[in-house]
Amino acid sequence: MFFNKSGSAPGSNMMQSYMEKRLTTLHNSSSSSVTTYKDKVLAFLSGVIFVTILPYIHIGIIHLKIWVPGKGKVDRNKCTCSCFDTVFRGQYEDQGPTTYKHVYFNATWQTMRIWLFTVIFVLLAYESIKYLIPLIRRRNLRPAMFALYVANLYPHYYSWWSYFSYYNEDFYDYYKHHMLFTITEVIATCLVLNLCDNRNEIVSWKILAIVSINLMHISVEGSDQFIQHVVYGKGSHFQNARNIGLMIPDLLHICID
């Protein structure tokens, strides 16, 4: 009455099926957790390497080795600075000529904004890498859009460095002009990142937005500095390289899209 012909209770099969289902679910969730953990670790390491290596390439190689290799080293034993307010040093140091330090910064609103822009750009860089790593590992990456993302790295890095210089030197002649470029560049990059996932459909409004933004960049850059500096040859080597580096990503966004 309580046992079937095989001698096992009806409830035992149900319990066995339930346990197998739970173990399978646990295994799948564990595998998913491990995969997610690997994605996070790879994204973190990639972000650290990426954010660290850019300034090194910019200052340690391009500037130091190529652009201005003749600049000598600072004599740390004789160097002093009288423009350092020493606020962040507290009572450890008084105002006046101070000895050499690798980094000086004063307690001003400009310094706060430099920090703010740096944090924003670093977080945006990390979030974009964190978004791309799983796509690369699972082969869901759309190569053409990833190429556009890579091409746009220089304009974004240049923007961060420009804002650093604006606030550091209190030079704001091109600030509003540059801010417009930055906002539109971020919008275009967000759309490109979205389309880096080949599971996201390429729709007309996204392509139209990307092309329109970059056409605007080309028209403004062309009428502003590119023609004068590059075409007419009135720019320095640095200005020509910068203008070409900013123009190429805009052209690629139009050609590839």
Side-chain angles (χ1 to χ4, degrees):
M1 180 176 180
F2 295 100
F3 296 93
N4 57 21
K5 292 182 180 180
S6 62
S8 60
S12 64
N13 290 332
M14 295 176 60
M15 180 61 70
Q16 183 178 358
S17 299
Y18 174 77
M19 291 300 296
E20 289 177 351
K21 185 182 295 185
R22 294 299 299 169
L23 289 172
T24 301
T25 303
L26 180 62
H27 172 74
N28 292 336
S29 63
S30 299
S31 300
S32 177
S33 298
V34 171
T35 302
T36 303
Y37 177 76
K38 289 181 179 179
D39 289 342
K40 290 181 178 179
V41 171
L42 285 174
F44 175 77
L45 294 177
S46 300
V48 169
I49 294 172
F50 173 72
V51 173
T52 302
I53 202 171
L54 275 182
Y56 174 74
I57 294 174
H58 170 207
I59 300 174
I61 297 178
I62 296 177
H63 279 226
L64 187 61
K65 304 296 183 182
I66 300 174
W67 191 22
V68 285
K71 289 194 174 183
K73 293 184 178 180
V74 173
D75 188 343
R76 302 182 186 182
N77 296 321
K78 298 180 180 179
C79 176
T80 60
C81 177
S82 59
C83 300
F84 179 32
D85 64 18
T86 69
V87 171
F88 95 97
R89 294 283 294 157
Q91 295 182 345
Y92 291 101
E93 191 168 1
D94 295 325
Q95 288 182 322
T98 61
T99 57
Y100 173 86
K101 292 177 179 59
H102 294 285
V103 176
Y104 300 88
F105 67 86
N106 293 321
T108 63
W109 69 269
Q110 289 91 338
T111 303
M112 184 62 197
R113 293 196 179 185
I114 289 173
W115 174 250
L116 174 64
F117 272 84
T118 300
V119 170
I120 290 173
F121 273 85
V122 169
L123 288 177
L124 288 175
Y126 170 71
E127 288 297 325
S128 67
I129 292 172
K130 188 172 73 172
Y131 177 79
L132 289 170
I133 290 295
L135 300 182
I136 296 172
R137 295 191 67 221
R138 293 168 180 75
R139 298 182 179 180
N140 292 324
L141 189 69
R142 187 175 277 125
M145 292 299 162
F146 180 69
L148 293 181
Y149 168 81
V150 173
N152 227 23
L153 291 178
Y154 173 72
H156 287 304
Y157 178 76
Y158 177 79
S159 292
W160 168 75
W161 194 251
S162 295
Y163 291 120
F164 187 103
S165 299
Y166 291 147
Y167 288 119
N168 193 43
E169 301 169 16
D170 279 328
F171 177 79
Y172 305 106
D173 289 359
Y174 304 110
Y175 184 89
K176 293 181 179 179
H177 173 88
H178 204 143
M179 180 60 72
L180 174 63
F181 268 73
T182 301
I183 293 173
T184 52
E185 280 173 355
V186 169
I187 293 173
T189 301
C190 288
L191 293 173
V192 168
L193 275 172
N194 176 264
L195 294 177
C196 280
D197 190 341
N198 57 24
R199 295 167 297 182
N200 293 334
E201 184 181 359
I202 297 179
V203 293
S204 58
W205 72 265
K206 294 180 182 179
I207 300 300
L208 179 62
I210 294 172
V211 171
S212 299
I213 288 172
N214 287 277
L215 278 174
M216 182 269 289
H217 288 176
I218 291 173
S219 62
V220 174
E221 288 173 9
S223 61
D224 185 14
Q225 295 182 347
F226 188 85
I227 293 178
Q228 290 293 325
H229 290 167
V230 179
V231 178
Y232 293 155
K234 295 182 179 180
S236 64
H237 293 305
F238 163 74
Q239 290 173 325
N240 292 337
R242 177 200 62 192
N243 291 329
I244 293 173
L246 294 174
M247 180 66 75
I248 288 176
D250 292 326
L251 293 173
L252 288 176
H253 277 71
I254 294 173
C255 295
I256 294 180
D257 286 338

